[in-house]
């Protein structure tokens, strides 16, 4: 006697046996009971969720004759009349199933529609079921449109597809569409337990949990995996055997990894990764299992009462949820998802897994151990203490004007002689710097930006009075091509922070731009433009440079151009009526000379 696989043996025969598709069963059941029957139905959904099964049950409901032969249209077919038994066995003459994956041309569709002119031979309705209908060619779709819209009263169309986006809208508009959803792991597990109980097979709860999760919402896949697991386990289902068959990672390894990441234990992370390599377990499965545990941790952190008491690892997951901050849980979850996509890019998936785990560990490093570009001077004990920053009033400057910050060990106030007249102020000594290097006294000084204490630079422009002057000056130099290459970049990327009649001070963010040759050439270009000044360039934060202003102006023009296009009535009509889309980056502002 031949063995019938579980997926076929336990295929639902009535709507009441359907699992996980209550929304479809309710709609079709009410329509059959009230006899509000449409002429075309479209069932969509992933593989193994019941599209063909619903089609066959619907065909039986339309043609059921009842046990006594006097039945009518019903939502509960009897299953014993000739129509029901013939449809279940696939030999009912008035029920035709067409596989559009292999019969997708115009000739195949025409041969099917030729049967539509003949009334049913045995049943009440003639039912055409077209599976994977999205595989039909465009001409085949056009061939069936007229018949699909106005079929004879005895003809019903049932279409099924896993990719409804490829079905023309002219076909979709002629059908009632039902989306069969992927089934929840809990629903699949419950049905597997019922099937195995009927089969008399011993099954461990954790083994069923693994099978239901591996099915990914498909009941047919779950039953096929169960068949395989029964053969692998010698007639019974145990967690270890199912985990070995699926190549799943033991939850203990995953919990150990997450615990090590929470505590910043790099040694345990690397050792566990090496153990996974030795056992030959899948790297993708490891990251997938970690994502599942982190998801449970995030739920517990948000809703402590949402813990799953049926999970044997619930206590350990709850402990890890308390050990790891919620923001780190979210970060690790996101990095595990992205890490799965990177496994195929590495020459060795285990090396890629180790790098993903070390990346997770790197984000656990204490903030005090992370070195930044703004490392305080007191953290470098081998260097001399940083000189004090002292602001000195500008000689001959208006009230309130001060010199730029200068390095000085000590500033001594002028001593008054006995007569009371103020004595001349002595020179301010600068430790470690010759007097010739002291910058000139400026008249106008750009105040320090508050961003210096806030972190790294952004592209935001903070307009200044000196910035207006410097932007206009650089624009003239660029227009006359007085500066090119590195000199032009120095001018565009710099900020004028202080100037007087003889000396200008610039600030750049990149040390590579601060070259002596570039400074001399920029100085010569300024002299040619009527600005005979000396230049000093320092490295620091820049908030108002010609380049930033140009970028801000270009961004504003781009935004205005996009608003004009998107606000155009013709463009809006095209997008609304024909689904038109604007290609990203295709809108460019018009430049005028």
């Amino acid at each position: 006697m031949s063995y019938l696989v579980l997926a076929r043996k336990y295929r639902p025969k009535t709507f009441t046996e359907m699992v996980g598709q209550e929304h479809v069963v309710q709609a079709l059941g009410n329509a059959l009971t009230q006899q509000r029957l449409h002429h075309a139905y479209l069932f969509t959904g992933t593989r193994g969720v019941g599209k063909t099964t619903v089609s066959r049950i619907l065909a039986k409901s339309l043609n059921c004759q009842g046990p006594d032969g006097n039945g009518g249209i019903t939502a509960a077919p009897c299953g014993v009349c000739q129509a029901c038994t013939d449809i279940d066995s696939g030999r009912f003459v008035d029920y035709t199933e067409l596989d559009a994956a292999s019969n997708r041309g115009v000739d195949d569709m025409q041969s099917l529609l030729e049967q539509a002119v003949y009334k049913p031979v045995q049943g009440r309705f003639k039912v055409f079921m077209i599976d994977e209908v999205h595989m039909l060619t465009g001409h085949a779709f056009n061939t069936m449109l007229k018949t699909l819209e106005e079929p004879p009263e005895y003809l019903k169309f049932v279409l099924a597809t896993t990719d409804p986006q490829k079905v023309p809208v002219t076909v979709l508009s002629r059908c009632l569409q039902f989306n069969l959803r992927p089934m929840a792991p809990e629903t699949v597990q419950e049905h597997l337990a019922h099937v195995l109980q009927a089969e008399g097979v011993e099954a461990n709860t954790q083994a069923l949990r693994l099978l239901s999760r591996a099915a990914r919402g498909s009941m047919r896949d779950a039953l096929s995996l169960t068949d395989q697991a029964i053969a692998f386990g010698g007639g019974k289902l145990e967690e270890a055997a199912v985990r070995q068959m699926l190549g799943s990672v033991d939850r203990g390894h995953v919990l150990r990894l997450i615990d090590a990441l929470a505590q910043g234990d790099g040694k345990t992370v690397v050792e566990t990764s090496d153990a996974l390599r030795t056992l030959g377990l899948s790297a993708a499965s490891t990251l997938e299992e970690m994502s599942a545990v982190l998801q449970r941790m995030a739920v517990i952190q948000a809703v402590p009462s949402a813990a799953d008491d049926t999970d044997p690892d619930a206590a350990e997951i709850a402990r890890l949820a308390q050990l790891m901050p919620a923001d780190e849980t979210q970060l690790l979850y996101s990095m595990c998802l992205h890490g799965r996509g990177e496994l195929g890019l590495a020459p060795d998936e285990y090396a890629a897994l180790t790098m993903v785990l070390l990346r997770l560990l790197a984000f656990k490093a204490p903030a005090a151990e992370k070195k930044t570009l703004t490392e305080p001077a007191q953290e470098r004990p081998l260097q001399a203490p940083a000189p004090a920053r002292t602001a000195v009033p500008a000689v001959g400057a208006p009230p309130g004007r001060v010199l730029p910050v200068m390095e000085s060990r000590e500033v001594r106030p002028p001593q008054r002689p006995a007569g009371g007249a103020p004595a001349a102020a002595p020179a301010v000594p600068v430790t470690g710097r010759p007097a010739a290097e002291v910058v000139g006294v400026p008249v106008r000084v750009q105040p320090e930006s508050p961003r210096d204490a806030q972190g790294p630079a952004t592209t935001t422009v903070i307009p200044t009075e000196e910035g207006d002057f410097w932007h206009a000056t650089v624009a003239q130099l660029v227009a006359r091509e007085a500066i090119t290459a590195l000199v032009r970049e120095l001018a565009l990327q710099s900020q004028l922070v202080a100037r007087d009649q003889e000396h200008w001070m610039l600030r750049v963010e990149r040390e590579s731009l601060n070259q002596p040759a570039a400074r001399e050439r920029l100085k010569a270009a300024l002299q040619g433009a009527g600005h005979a000044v000396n230049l000093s360039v320092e490295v620091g934060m820049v908030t108002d440079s010609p380049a930033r202003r140009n970028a801000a102006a270009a961004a504003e023009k781009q935004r205005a151009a996009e608003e004009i296009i998107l606000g155009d009535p013709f463009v809006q009509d095209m997008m609304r009526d024909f689904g038109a889309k604007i290609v990203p980056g295709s809108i460019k502002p018009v430049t005028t000379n």
Side-chain angles (χ1 to χ4, degrees):
M1 182 177 180
S2 61
Y3 173 72
L4 190 63
V5 298
L6 297 179
R8 294 182 57 189
K9 183 177 181 180
Y10 290 93
R11 181 192 290 269
K13 300 294 192 300
T14 62
F15 285 125
T16 57
E17 296 178 5
M18 289 287 297
V19 177
Q21 307 297 344
E22 290 77 10
H23 62 294
V24 176
V25 171
Q26 179 179 348
L28 293 178
N30 293 337
L32 291 167
T33 301
Q34 301 173 9
Q35 297 195 12
R36 299 178 60 90
L37 303 177
H38 202 269
H39 60 268
Y41 298 87
L42 174 63
F43 298 115
T44 65
T46 186
R47 77 271 181 262
V49 294
K51 299 184 294 297
T52 304
T53 298
V54 171
S55 173
R56 293 180 179 178
I57 297 175
L58 179 60
K60 289 192 296 183
S61 299
L62 293 173
N63 292 288
C64 180
Q65 301 171 358
D68 55 357
N70 297 321
I73 299 174
T74 176
C78 66
V80 296
C81 66
Q82 183 178 1
C84 292
T85 55
D86 286 351
I87 290 176
D88 286 336
S89 59
R91 59 174 183 268
F92 190 63
V93 67
D94 293 322
Y95 176 71
T96 303
E97 287 189 3
L98 177 68
D99 179 20
S102 55
N103 303 277
R104 56 193 304 264
V106 176
D107 295 339
D108 300 312
M109 184 56 59
Q110 286 180 341
S111 62
L112 177 67
L113 296 179
E114 286 175 358
Q115 306 176 25
V117 299
Y118 302 105
K119 289 186 177 182
V121 176
Q122 296 178 341
R124 194 176 295 110
F125 292 94
K126 186 183 291 287
V127 181
F128 289 166
M129 193 276 178
I130 305 178
D131 197 11
E132 299 298 339
V133 67
H134 68 275
M135 300 290 288
L136 291 177
T137 63
H139 294 298
F141 274 121
N142 294 334
T143 302
M144 67 181 294
L145 281 180
K146 186 60 179 178
T147 307
L148 182 65
E149 183 177 11
E150 298 178 357
E153 59 180 7
Y154 53 80
L155 178 62
K156 302 294 181 184
F157 280 94
V158 180
L159 313 180
T161 178
T162 57
D163 194 356
Q165 288 79 14
K166 295 182 179 179
V167 179
V169 292
T170 52
V171 175
L172 295 177
S173 64
R174 290 167 167 80
C175 303
L176 288 185
Q177 183 172 346
F178 297 91
N179 182 29
L180 280 71
R181 306 165 184 164
M183 302 178 197
E186 295 77 12
T187 302
V188 176
Q189 181 178 347
E190 182 180 355
H191 186 67
L192 289 181
H194 173 74
V195 169
L196 293 176
Q197 183 179 3
E199 289 289 308
V201 176
E202 297 181 7
N204 182 273
T205 303
Q206 290 302 312
L208 294 182
R209 185 189 297 268
L210 290 172
L211 291 172
S212 61
R213 289 177 54 192
R216 299 186 182 278
S218 172
M219 186 63 73
R220 183 174 63 223
D221 288 2
L223 292 171
S224 299
L225 288 173
T226 302
D227 258 328
Q228 182 179 353
I230 292 174
F232 187 85
K236 58 182 178 180
L237 299 182
E238 295 181 351
E239 179 184 5
V242 172
R243 191 179 294 278
Q244 182 180 359
M245 182 195 76
L246 297 175
S248 303
V249 177
D250 185 4
R251 181 68 68 85
H253 292 96
V254 173
L255 296 176
R256 191 178 307 115
L257 280 173
I258 296 178
D259 182 68
L261 291 171
Q263 299 181 9
D265 186 359
K267 180 180 179 181
T268 302
V269 169
V270 175
E271 290 177 350
T272 307
S273 177
D274 292 340
L276 295 174
R277 179 195 293 267
T278 303
L279 295 174
L281 298 177
S282 170
S285 177
T286 302
L287 294 177
E288 180 180 357
E289 190 70 20
M290 287 183 65
S291 301
V293 174
L294 289 168
Q295 184 266 339
R296 294 300 311 163
M297 291 171 54
V299 171
I300 294 175
Q301 290 170 346
V303 186
S305 60
D308 185 5
D309 297 333
T310 61
D311 190 348
D313 299 319
E316 181 65 13
I317 294 176
R319 183 187 71 83
L320 293 175
Q322 295 179 353
L323 183 63
M324 182 177 293
D327 56 344
E328 292 183 1
T329 302
Q330 297 289 340
L331 177 63
L332 297 188
Y333 176 80
S334 178
M335 296 181 69
C336 285
L337 292 183
H338 288 83
R340 288 183 60 192
E342 298 176 359
L343 293 179
L345 303 177
D348 180 3
E349 71 168 4
Y350 292 104
L353 172 63
T354 303
M355 289 303 298
V356 172
L357 296 176
L358 293 179
R359 188 184 310 160
L360 299 176
L361 185 64
F363 279 86
K364 285 289 299 178
E369 296 180 3
K370 296 180 179 179
K371 303 299 182 181
T372 65
L373 295 178
T374 58
E375 183 180 8
Q378 57 268 24
E379 294 185 6
R380 302 188 293 269
L382 297 180
Q383 299 182 7
R389 298 168 67 88
T390 307
V392 183
V395 179
R401 297 294 185 180
V402 296
L403 279 173
V405 175
M406 300 175 60
E407 297 182 353
S408 175
R409 289 294 184 182
E410 180 180 7
V411 178
R412 298 181 181 178
Q415 302 294 329
R416 287 183 177 271
V428 180
V430 181
T431 304
R433 174 183 291 182
E437 293 185 22
V438 178
V439 299
V441 177
V443 175
R444 307 172 65 181
V445 178
Q446 170 63 33
E448 291 289 333
S449 170
R451 295 174 50 210
D452 291 348
Q454 294 178 357
T458 63
T459 57
T460 305
V461 178
I462 303 178
T464 62
E465 185 177 357
E466 300 295 345
D468 296 339
F469 172 78
W470 182 240
H471 181 264
T473 302
V474 174
Q476 294 177 1
L477 296 177
V478 173
R480 293 190 294 107
E481 297 184 355
I483 53 176
T484 58
L486 185 60
V487 183
R488 180 179 57 190
E489 286 301 310
L490 173 61
L492 290 173
Q493 302 292 341
S494 61
Q495 177 179 352
L496 180 61
V497 295
R499 65 186 175 98
D500 61 10
Q501 295 181 353
E502 298 181 355
H503 185 272
W504 291 3
M505 177 177 288
L506 303 178
R507 179 184 298 160
V508 294
E509 290 187 339
R510 291 183 294 172
E511 180 69 32
S512 59
L513 294 175
N514 188 13
Q515 302 294 331
R519 291 198 305 267
E520 291 300 324
R521 293 174 62 184
L522 179 58
K523 176 182 176 181
L526 289 172
Q527 290 178 351
H531 304 288
V533 294
N534 294 322
L535 287 181
S536 295
V537 181
E538 65 177 8
V539 178
M541 195 72 67
V542 173
T543 59
D544 185 15
S545 65
R548 286 174 179 260
R549 292 199 175 204
N550 294 340
E556 179 61 24
K557 291 181 180 179
Q558 179 68 25
R559 184 192 61 78
E562 293 176 354
E563 288 184 354
I564 292 174
I565 296 299
L566 293 176
D568 187 85
F570 177 75
V571 175
Q572 293 180 353
D573 292 343
M574 294 291 291
M575 297 175 67
R576 181 182 64 252
D577 299 337
F578 301 100
K581 295 182 180 179
I582 296 177
V583 178
S586 61
I587 300 178
K588 299 296 182 183
V590 177
T591 57
T592 57
N593 296 329

